[in-house]
Amino acid sequence: EELENVTGVVALARVNGAGKWVIKLEDGAVWTQVDSKELFKQPKPGMPVKIRQASLGSFLMTVDTMGAFRARRTE
């Protein structure tokens, strides 16, 4: 599935055992943070999400007004 630009809404957000954010969107897609960027506030249900394709097949996710972090779709 080709993804370039995706928008959605956070349904659930948690930190996994590796200290990375796992964010489930209302459409059921699950994205996991792959970089070590710290978010200045916790993602919460109802926050808007923008995902855009970056270089070399990676993706940048922006939650609400926070800066973008690298993520990959895991479900």
Side-chain angles (χ1 to χ4, degrees):
E1 180 180 342
E2 283 290 317
L3 297 173
E4 286 185 21
N5 293 298
V6 176
T7 58
V9 177
V10 175
L12 176 70
R14 65 179 178 84
V15 176
N16 66 15
K20 308 292 185 185
W21 282 101
V22 178
I23 298 174
K24 183 174 184 176
L25 303 182
E26 287 183 345
D27 68 1
V30 178
W31 291 80
T32 302
Q33 180 183 17
V34 294
D35 65 13
S36 57
K37 183 173 182 182
E38 290 189 35
L39 305 183
F40 66 88
K41 64 181 180 179
Q42 180 176 343
K44 297 195 183 295
M47 287 183 166
V49 173
K50 292 180 186 173
I51 302 165
R52 67 184 189 275
Q53 192 163 13
S55 61
L56 303 172
S58 64
F59 293 90
L60 291 173
M61 174 181 266
T62 305
V63 178
D64 199 27
T65 58
M66 294 180 249
F69 59 91
R70 293 203 181 277
R72 66 180 163 90
R73 186 167 179 176
T74 52
E75 286 183 37

